[in-house]
Amino acid sequence: MLGYHVPDPDEAMLVSGAKGKDDVPFGVVIGRGKWVIPFFRKVSYLSLAMFESEIKERCVTKQAIQLEVRAVIAFKVANDERSIVNAAQRFLSEQEQEMSVLTGRIFSGHLRSIVGSMTVEEIIRERQRLADEVLVASKVEMSNIGLWVDSFQIQSIDDGNLGYITALAAPHNAAVQRDAQIAQSQAAQLAAQAEQESLRRQAEYERETSILKAQYQRDIDKANAEAAQSGPLAEAKAMQEVLTAQAEQARKGAELREQQLQAEVVKPALAEAERVRILAEAEADRTRIQADAAASNNRIALDQLLIEQLPEIVKQASNGLANANLTVLNGPDGVSELVNGMVGQGLTVFNSLQKALSSNDGENAG
Protein backbone atom coordinates (compact mmCIF):
# COMPACT_ATOMS: atom_id res chain seq x y z
CA MET A 1 0.00 0.00 0.00
CA LEU A 2 1.42 3.36 -0.95
CA GLY A 3 2.88 5.16 2.05
CA TYR A 4 2.45 2.27 4.52
CA HIS A 5 5.60 0.23 5.32
CA VAL A 6 6.05 -2.90 7.46
CA PRO A 7 9.55 -4.28 8.38
CA ASP A 8 10.33 -8.02 8.47
CA PRO A 9 10.51 -9.71 11.89
CA ASP A 10 14.37 -9.59 11.79
CA GLU A 11 14.55 -6.00 10.53
CA ALA A 12 14.41 -2.52 11.93
CA MET A 13 12.75 0.12 9.74
CA LEU A 14 14.54 3.48 9.71
CA VAL A 15 12.52 6.59 8.69
CA SER A 16 14.68 9.58 7.93
CA GLY A 17 13.57 13.14 7.14
CA ALA A 18 12.25 13.91 10.56
CA LYS A 19 13.75 13.76 14.02
CA GLY A 20 12.77 10.95 16.26
CA LYS A 21 12.12 11.14 19.94
CA ASP A 22 14.86 11.65 22.54
CA ASP A 23 17.09 13.44 20.06
CA VAL A 24 17.28 10.40 17.75
CA PRO A 25 18.16 11.67 14.25
CA PHE A 26 15.62 9.37 12.55
CA GLY A 27 12.68 7.20 13.48
CA VAL A 28 13.09 3.52 14.37
CA VAL A 29 10.21 1.05 13.89
CA ILE A 30 10.44 -2.63 14.98
CA GLY A 31 7.75 -5.29 14.62
CA ARG A 32 4.96 -3.02 13.32
CA GLY A 33 3.93 -0.97 10.29
CA LYS A 34 3.96 2.81 9.86
CA TRP A 35 2.55 5.42 7.49
CA VAL A 36 5.35 7.32 5.79
CA ILE A 37 4.76 10.50 3.77
CA PRO A 38 6.11 9.93 0.27
CA PHE A 39 8.81 12.26 -1.08
CA PHE A 40 9.25 13.88 2.30
CA ARG A 41 10.44 10.80 4.20
CA LYS A 42 12.89 8.03 3.29
CA VAL A 43 12.63 4.43 4.52
CA SER A 44 15.71 2.21 5.07
CA TYR A 45 16.07 -1.20 6.68
CA LEU A 46 18.73 -2.53 9.09
CA SER A 47 19.00 -6.31 9.57
CA LEU A 48 18.72 -7.66 13.11
CA ALA A 49 19.74 -11.20 12.03
CA MET A 50 22.73 -13.15 13.35
CA PHE A 51 26.14 -12.76 11.72
CA GLU A 52 29.43 -14.66 12.09
CA SER A 53 33.02 -13.53 11.99
CA GLU A 54 36.03 -15.84 11.93
CA ILE A 55 39.44 -14.74 13.14
CA LYS A 56 42.87 -16.33 12.79
CA GLU A 57 45.43 -14.52 14.90
CA ARG A 58 49.10 -15.21 15.71
CA CYS A 59 49.61 -14.45 19.38
CA VAL A 60 52.64 -14.52 21.67
CA THR A 61 52.24 -16.14 25.08
CA LYS A 62 53.72 -15.13 28.38
CA GLN A 63 56.63 -17.50 27.60
CA ALA A 64 57.29 -15.78 24.25
CA ILE A 65 55.97 -18.76 22.35
CA GLN A 66 53.97 -17.97 19.23
CA LEU A 67 50.56 -19.60 18.94
CA GLU A 68 48.11 -19.47 16.11
CA VAL A 69 44.56 -19.17 17.51
CA ARG A 70 41.38 -19.66 15.49
CA ALA A 71 38.03 -18.42 16.82
CA VAL A 72 34.46 -17.72 15.75
CA ILE A 73 32.26 -14.80 16.92
CA ALA A 74 28.46 -14.91 16.64
CA PHE A 75 26.96 -11.39 16.88
CA LYS A 76 24.05 -9.17 15.81
CA VAL A 77 22.66 -5.67 16.11
CA ALA A 78 21.17 -5.23 19.56
CA ASN A 79 17.38 -4.82 19.82
CA ASP A 80 17.22 -1.52 21.69
CA GLU A 81 16.70 1.73 19.83
CA ARG A 82 20.03 3.32 20.80
CA SER A 83 22.02 0.28 19.57
CA ILE A 84 20.04 0.26 16.30
CA VAL A 85 20.82 3.95 15.76
CA ASN A 86 24.55 3.39 16.49
CA ALA A 87 24.75 0.40 14.18
CA ALA A 88 22.80 2.13 11.40
CA GLN A 89 25.08 5.16 11.47
CA ARG A 90 28.11 2.86 11.04
CA PHE A 91 27.03 -0.11 8.92
CA LEU A 92 23.85 0.72 6.96
CA SER A 93 25.57 0.99 3.59
CA GLU A 94 27.62 -2.25 3.82
CA GLN A 95 26.17 -3.82 6.92
CA GLU A 96 27.34 -7.45 6.82
CA GLN A 97 30.87 -6.87 5.54
CA GLU A 98 31.69 -3.85 7.65
CA MET A 99 30.28 -5.38 10.86
CA SER A 100 32.22 -8.63 10.35
CA VAL A 101 35.51 -6.84 9.67
CA LEU A 102 35.21 -4.47 12.59
CA THR A 103 34.08 -7.19 14.99
CA GLY A 104 37.04 -9.40 13.96
CA ARG A 105 39.48 -6.60 14.59
CA ILE A 106 38.05 -5.85 18.01
CA PHE A 107 38.23 -9.50 19.13
CA SER A 108 41.68 -10.04 17.60
CA GLY A 109 43.12 -7.21 19.64
CA HIS A 110 41.68 -8.45 22.90
CA LEU A 111 42.69 -12.03 22.06
CA ARG A 112 46.35 -11.04 21.57
CA SER A 113 46.32 -9.10 24.80
CA ILE A 114 44.88 -11.90 26.93
CA VAL A 115 47.00 -14.69 25.34
CA GLY A 116 50.10 -12.57 26.15
CA SER A 117 49.18 -12.77 29.85
CA MET A 118 48.89 -16.56 29.92
CA THR A 119 51.24 -19.50 29.51
CA VAL A 120 50.80 -22.22 26.91
CA GLU A 121 49.85 -24.70 29.63
CA GLU A 122 47.16 -22.37 30.95
CA ILE A 123 45.80 -21.73 27.46
CA ILE A 124 45.66 -25.47 26.73
CA ARG A 125 44.10 -26.41 30.05
CA GLU A 126 41.82 -23.35 30.43
CA ARG A 127 40.59 -22.66 26.94
CA GLN A 128 37.15 -21.60 28.15
CA ARG A 129 38.68 -19.09 30.54
CA LEU A 130 40.52 -17.52 27.60
CA ALA A 131 37.28 -17.27 25.61
CA ASP A 132 35.37 -15.75 28.52
CA GLU A 133 38.03 -13.08 29.19
CA VAL A 134 38.15 -12.08 25.54
CA LEU A 135 34.35 -11.87 25.40
CA VAL A 136 34.15 -9.71 28.53
CA ALA A 137 36.90 -7.41 27.29
CA SER A 138 35.17 -6.89 23.92
CA LYS A 139 31.65 -6.26 25.17
CA VAL A 140 32.11 -2.57 25.90
CA GLU A 141 33.44 -1.77 22.47
CA MET A 142 30.84 -3.93 20.76
CA SER A 143 28.10 -2.19 22.70
CA ASN A 144 29.39 1.22 21.63
CA ILE A 145 28.91 0.31 17.97
CA GLY A 146 25.46 -1.18 18.67
CA LEU A 147 26.39 -4.87 18.42
CA TRP A 148 25.58 -7.73 20.77
CA VAL A 149 27.82 -10.85 20.97
CA ASP A 150 26.00 -14.13 21.46
CA SER A 151 29.08 -16.36 21.67
CA PHE A 152 32.84 -16.52 21.21
CA GLN A 153 34.39 -19.97 20.64
CA ILE A 154 38.09 -20.92 20.42
CA GLN A 155 38.33 -23.43 17.58
CA SER A 156 42.01 -24.35 17.60
CA ILE A 157 45.38 -23.52 19.10
CA ASP A 158 48.53 -24.40 17.18
CA ASP A 159 52.23 -23.73 17.91
CA GLY A 160 53.28 -23.87 14.24
CA ASN A 161 55.28 -27.11 14.32
CA LEU A 162 57.37 -25.99 17.27
CA GLY A 163 56.45 -29.20 19.06
CA TYR A 164 55.80 -27.48 22.36
CA ILE A 165 52.18 -28.49 22.60
CA THR A 166 53.08 -31.98 21.42
CA ALA A 167 55.74 -32.20 24.13
CA LEU A 168 53.22 -31.03 26.70
CA ALA A 169 50.84 -33.70 25.55
CA ALA A 170 53.48 -36.45 25.46
CA PRO A 171 53.29 -37.44 29.17
CA HIS A 172 49.55 -37.38 29.01
CA ASN A 173 49.57 -39.33 25.77
CA ALA A 174 51.98 -41.83 27.30
CA ALA A 175 49.80 -42.16 30.36
CA VAL A 176 46.76 -42.54 28.19
CA GLN A 177 48.51 -45.15 26.07
CA ARG A 178 49.76 -46.92 29.18
CA ASP A 179 46.30 -46.90 30.70
CA ALA A 180 44.90 -48.04 27.38
CA GLN A 181 47.39 -50.90 27.19
CA ILE A 182 46.68 -51.86 30.79
CA ALA A 183 42.97 -51.71 30.16
CA GLN A 184 43.42 -53.70 26.97
CA SER A 185 45.54 -56.28 28.79
CA GLN A 186 43.03 -56.53 31.59
CA ALA A 187 40.24 -56.80 29.08
CA ALA A 188 42.14 -59.54 27.23
CA GLN A 189 42.79 -61.34 30.53
CA LEU A 190 39.15 -61.08 31.50
CA ALA A 191 38.17 -62.24 28.05
CA ALA A 192 40.53 -65.23 28.34
CA GLN A 193 39.15 -66.06 31.78
CA ALA A 194 35.62 -65.73 30.49
CA GLU A 195 36.48 -67.97 27.54
CA GLN A 196 38.07 -70.57 29.84
CA GLU A 197 35.05 -70.44 32.13
CA SER A 198 32.79 -70.80 29.13
CA LEU A 199 34.79 -73.80 27.87
CA ARG A 200 34.74 -75.36 31.34
CA ARG A 201 31.00 -74.89 31.64
CA GLN A 202 30.53 -76.25 28.14
CA ALA A 203 32.63 -79.32 29.01
CA GLU A 204 30.65 -79.85 32.22
CA TYR A 205 27.42 -79.50 30.29
CA GLU A 206 28.58 -81.99 27.67
CA ARG A 207 29.68 -84.43 30.40
CA GLU A 208 26.37 -84.12 32.25
CA THR A 209 24.53 -84.48 28.95
CA SER A 210 26.49 -87.65 28.13
CA ILE A 211 25.72 -89.09 31.57
CA LEU A 212 22.04 -88.30 31.22
CA LYS A 213 21.98 -89.80 27.73
CA ALA A 214 23.65 -92.97 29.03
CA GLN A 215 21.14 -93.19 31.88
CA TYR A 216 18.26 -92.65 29.49
CA GLN A 217 19.63 -95.27 27.10
CA ARG A 218 20.10 -97.74 29.97
CA ASP A 219 16.53 -97.19 31.11
CA ILE A 220 15.30 -97.59 27.53
CA ASP A 221 17.29 -100.82 27.06
CA LYS A 222 15.99 -102.15 30.38
CA ALA A 223 12.43 -101.31 29.46
CA ASN A 224 12.85 -102.90 26.04
CA ALA A 225 14.34 -106.05 27.60
CA GLU A 226 11.54 -106.27 30.14
CA ALA A 227 9.00 -105.73 27.38
CA ALA A 228 10.65 -108.44 25.28
CA GLN A 229 10.59 -110.88 28.23
CA SER A 230 7.13 -109.99 29.45
CA GLY A 231 5.42 -111.75 26.53
CA PRO A 232 7.07 -115.20 26.98
CA LEU A 233 6.88 -114.90 30.77
CA ALA A 234 3.21 -114.06 30.64
CA GLU A 235 2.58 -116.89 28.19
CA ALA A 236 4.51 -119.37 30.36
CA LYS A 237 2.69 -118.19 33.46
CA ALA A 238 -0.65 -118.52 31.72
CA MET A 239 0.29 -122.02 30.49
CA GLN A 240 1.36 -123.01 33.99
CA GLU A 241 -1.91 -121.75 35.39
CA VAL A 242 -3.79 -123.72 32.71
CA LEU A 243 -1.83 -126.87 33.53
CA THR A 244 -2.39 -126.36 37.25
CA ALA A 245 -6.10 -125.88 36.65
CA GLN A 246 -6.19 -128.99 34.47
CA ALA A 247 -4.32 -131.03 37.08
CA GLU A 248 -6.64 -129.81 39.79
CA GLN A 249 -9.61 -130.67 37.60
CA ALA A 250 -8.17 -134.13 36.93
CA ARG A 251 -7.55 -134.67 40.64
CA LYS A 252 -11.08 -133.68 41.51
CA GLY A 253 -12.38 -135.89 38.68
CA ALA A 254 -10.38 -138.82 40.03
CA GLU A 255 -11.70 -138.23 43.52
CA LEU A 256 -15.23 -138.01 42.18
CA ARG A 257 -14.74 -141.17 40.16
CA GLU A 258 -13.30 -142.92 43.19
CA GLN A 259 -16.29 -141.88 45.23
CA GLN A 260 -18.57 -143.09 42.44
CA LEU A 261 -16.79 -146.44 42.35
CA GLN A 262 -17.03 -146.70 46.11
CA ALA A 263 -20.74 -146.01 45.95
CA GLU A 264 -21.53 -148.06 42.84
CA VAL A 265 -19.16 -151.05 43.08
CA VAL A 266 -17.16 -151.34 46.27
CA LYS A 267 -19.86 -150.65 48.80
CA PRO A 268 -22.46 -152.96 47.21
CA ALA A 269 -19.82 -155.69 46.78
CA LEU A 270 -18.67 -155.38 50.37
CA ALA A 271 -22.25 -155.36 51.60
CA GLU A 272 -23.05 -158.46 49.52
CA ALA A 273 -19.96 -160.26 50.75
CA GLU A 274 -20.80 -159.46 54.31
CA ARG A 275 -24.35 -160.61 53.85
CA VAL A 276 -23.11 -163.87 52.46
CA ARG A 277 -20.69 -164.25 55.31
CA ILE A 278 -23.36 -163.50 57.88
CA LEU A 279 -25.71 -166.02 56.30
CA ALA A 280 -22.90 -168.56 56.28
CA GLU A 281 -22.14 -167.92 59.91
CA ALA A 282 -25.84 -168.08 60.74
CA GLU A 283 -26.17 -171.35 58.90
CA ALA A 284 -23.17 -172.68 60.76
CA ASP A 285 -24.61 -171.50 64.04
CA ARG A 286 -27.93 -173.12 63.18
CA THR A 287 -26.18 -176.38 62.43
CA ARG A 288 -24.29 -176.19 65.67
CA ILE A 289 -27.43 -175.38 67.62
CA GLN A 290 -29.24 -178.26 66.05
CA ALA A 291 -26.40 -180.52 67.02
CA ASP A 292 -26.43 -179.22 70.56
CA ALA A 293 -30.16 -179.53 70.70
CA ALA A 294 -30.01 -183.13 69.56
CA ALA A 295 -27.63 -183.81 72.42
CA SER A 296 -29.96 -182.20 74.97
CA ASN A 297 -33.10 -184.18 75.70
CA ASN A 298 -34.89 -181.75 77.96
CA ARG A 299 -34.80 -178.75 75.69
CA ILE A 300 -35.21 -180.15 72.26
CA ALA A 301 -38.47 -178.49 71.46
CA LEU A 302 -37.35 -175.07 72.73
CA ASP A 303 -34.05 -175.12 70.99
CA GLN A 304 -35.64 -176.32 67.87
CA LEU A 305 -37.96 -173.32 67.94
CA LEU A 306 -35.13 -170.88 68.51
CA ILE A 307 -32.98 -172.47 65.87
CA GLU A 308 -35.75 -172.14 63.37
CA GLN A 309 -36.13 -168.43 64.20
CA LEU A 310 -32.43 -167.59 64.14
CA PRO A 311 -32.03 -167.54 60.32
CA GLU A 312 -34.96 -165.23 60.11
CA ILE A 313 -33.34 -162.87 62.63
CA VAL A 314 -30.08 -162.91 60.75
CA LYS A 315 -31.88 -162.46 57.44
CA GLN A 316 -33.66 -159.42 58.69
CA ALA A 317 -30.40 -158.03 59.94
CA SER A 318 -28.67 -158.64 56.61
CA ASN A 319 -31.56 -157.14 54.67
CA GLY A 320 -31.38 -154.04 56.80
CA LEU A 321 -27.66 -153.84 56.20
CA ALA A 322 -28.08 -154.14 52.43
CA ASN A 323 -30.70 -151.35 52.30
CA ALA A 324 -28.75 -149.02 54.58
CA ASN A 325 -26.88 -145.89 53.25
CA LEU A 326 -23.48 -146.88 54.64
CA THR A 327 -20.45 -144.62 54.85
CA VAL A 328 -17.29 -146.68 54.60
CA LEU A 329 -14.67 -145.24 56.94
CA ASN A 330 -12.05 -148.00 56.88
CA GLY A 331 -13.02 -150.24 53.94
CA PRO A 332 -14.10 -153.89 54.47
CA ASP A 333 -13.04 -153.89 58.11
CA GLY A 334 -15.61 -151.25 58.89
CA VAL A 335 -18.41 -153.22 57.21
CA SER A 336 -17.32 -156.42 58.97
CA GLU A 337 -17.38 -154.73 62.34
CA LEU A 338 -20.89 -153.42 61.70
CA VAL A 339 -22.27 -156.82 60.64
CA ASN A 340 -20.52 -158.63 63.47
CA GLY A 341 -22.14 -156.27 65.88
CA MET A 342 -25.60 -157.03 64.50
CA VAL A 343 -25.03 -160.81 64.55
CA GLY A 344 -23.73 -160.51 68.06
CA GLN A 345 -26.87 -158.71 69.06
CA GLY A 346 -28.95 -161.52 67.46
CA LEU A 347 -27.03 -164.15 69.36
CA THR A 348 -27.42 -162.18 72.56
CA VAL A 349 -31.17 -162.13 72.04
CA PHE A 350 -31.04 -165.83 71.34
CA ASN A 351 -29.09 -166.57 74.53
CA SER A 352 -31.45 -164.42 76.60
CA LEU A 353 -34.44 -166.27 75.31
CA GLN A 354 -32.73 -169.57 75.96
CA LYS A 355 -31.96 -168.62 79.56
CA ALA A 356 -35.47 -167.42 80.13
CA LEU A 357 -36.94 -170.68 78.91
CA SER A 358 -34.50 -172.67 81.05
CA SER A 359 -35.62 -170.75 84.11
CA ASN A 360 -39.26 -171.45 83.41
CA ASP A 361 -38.57 -175.15 83.03
CA GLY A 362 -36.87 -175.26 86.40
CA GLU A 363 -39.79 -173.60 88.15
CA ASN A 364 -42.27 -175.91 86.53
CA ALA A 365 -40.26 -178.95 87.67
CA GLY A 366 -40.28 -177.76 91.30
Side-chain angles (χ1 to χ4, degrees):
M1 184 179 294
L2 183 62
Y4 190 79
H5 299 269
V6 180
D8 291 335
D10 60 346
E11 288 181 334
M13 185 173 66
L14 311 178
V15 182
S16 59
K19 292 185 64 176
K21 59 182 180 180
D22 298 331
D23 297 330
V24 175
F26 46 83
V28 178
V29 179
I30 302 174
R32 58 185 178 84
K34 184 179 179 59
W35 287 100
V36 178
I37 301 174
F39 306 111
F40 295 96
R41 302 286 185 268
K42 182 179 180 180
V43 176
S44 302
Y45 295 96
L46 181 69
S47 176
L48 302 179
M50 182 69 65
F51 294 93
E52 283 188 359
S53 177
E54 294 185 2
I55 59 175
K56 178 181 178 183
E57 192 68 27
R58 182 168 294 275
C59 308
V60 179
T61 66
K62 187 177 181 180
Q63 302 154 305
I65 297 174
Q66 288 189 354
L67 297 178
E68 186 177 90
V69 181
R70 293 175 178 270
V72 176
I73 310 116
F75 64 95
K76 64 181 291 295
V77 176
N79 293 331
D80 61 282
E81 189 174 286
R82 176 52 59 180
S83 297
I84 292 173
V85 171
N86 291 338
Q89 290 177 338
R90 292 171 173 81
F91 310 116
L92 186 59
S93 58
E94 296 288 340
Q95 181 180 358
E96 182 176 357
Q97 183 178 359
E98 292 180 358
M99 284 194 306
S100 297
V101 171
L102 182 58
T103 299
R105 290 175 180 175
I106 293 172
F107 272 86
S108 295
H110 290 292
L111 179 62
R112 288 194 300 270
S113 175
I114 294 173
V115 167
S117 64
M118 300 175 65
T119 63
V120 177
E121 291 81 0
E122 291 175 341
I123 294 170
I124 298 298
R125 289 194 305 264
E126 304 176 22
R127 180 178 298 189
Q128 188 59 44
R129 170 194 161 192
L130 172 63
D132 293 341
E133 290 186 1
V134 173
L135 182 59
V136 170
S138 303
K139 270 188 176 181
V140 175
E141 296 180 43
M142 295 292 288
S143 178
N144 291 336
I145 58 177
L147 301 180
W148 171 262
V149 179
D150 281 342
S151 68
F152 174 71
Q153 297 293 331
I154 303 294
Q155 288 185 317
S156 65
I157 299 173
D158 187 11
D159 61 0
N161 297 325
L162 292 177
Y164 191 89
I165 296 177
T166 303
L168 289 177
H172 177 71
N173 292 335
V176 170
Q177 292 178 358
R178 182 185 67 249
D179 293 341
Q181 292 176 353
I182 293 174
Q184 186 176 3
S185 176
Q186 292 177 348
Q189 184 178 1
L190 292 175
Q193 292 177 353
E195 184 177 2
Q196 291 177 357
E197 181 67 16
S198 176
L199 293 175
R200 184 183 66 80
R201 291 181 180 274
Q202 184 176 0
E204 290 181 355
Y205 175 77
E206 292 178 354
R207 182 178 63 83
E208 293 176 356
T209 302
S210 299
I211 293 173
L212 289 175
K213 286 183 178 179
Q215 292 177 351
Y216 293 154
Q217 189 61 44
R218 185 169 61 251
D219 294 340
I220 292 172
D221 294 341
K222 181 179 178 182
N224 291 334
E226 291 178 352
Q229 294 176 358
S230 62
L233 289 176
E235 184 177 357
K237 185 177 180 181
M239 181 62 70
Q240 184 178 3
E241 292 178 353
V242 170
L243 294 176
T244 302
Q246 291 178 350
E248 181 66 19
Q249 184 177 4
R251 185 184 64 78
K252 290 182 178 181
E255 291 180 353
L256 180 60
R257 182 58 182 163
E258 182 180 358
Q259 292 176 2
Q260 291 176 349
L261 290 174
Q262 288 286 343
E264 296 175 358
V265 179
V266 177
K267 289 182 180 179
L270 292 176
E272 180 64 22
E274 190 64 24
R275 186 180 69 82
V276 172
R277 188 182 65 79
I278 292 172
L279 291 176
E281 290 180 355
E283 184 65 24
D285 290 338
R286 184 173 69 85
T287 303
R288 182 178 55 78
I289 292 171
Q290 289 177 350
D292 290 339
S296 176
N297 295 325
N298 58 351
R299 295 174 54 192
I300 293 174
L302 177 61
D303 292 339
Q304 184 67 31
L305 179 61
L306 292 175
I307 289 170
E308 291 176 355
Q309 295 297 325
L310 182 58
E312 184 66 23
I313 296 172
V314 174
K315 182 179 181 181
Q316 295 296 328
S318 65
N319 289 334
L321 180 61
N323 295 326
N325 185 12
L326 296 177
T327 300
V328 179
L329 301 176
N330 53 355
D333 294 336
V335 176
S336 179
E337 290 177 1
L338 180 60
V339 174
N340 289 334
M342 296 182 66
V343 173
Q345 290 179 0
L347 293 176
T348 301
V349 174
F350 176 78
N351 291 330
S352 298
L353 291 174
Q354 192 177 33
K355 289 179 181 180
L357 292 174
S358 299
S359 298
N360 292 332
D361 291 341
E363 290 177 358
N364 293 328

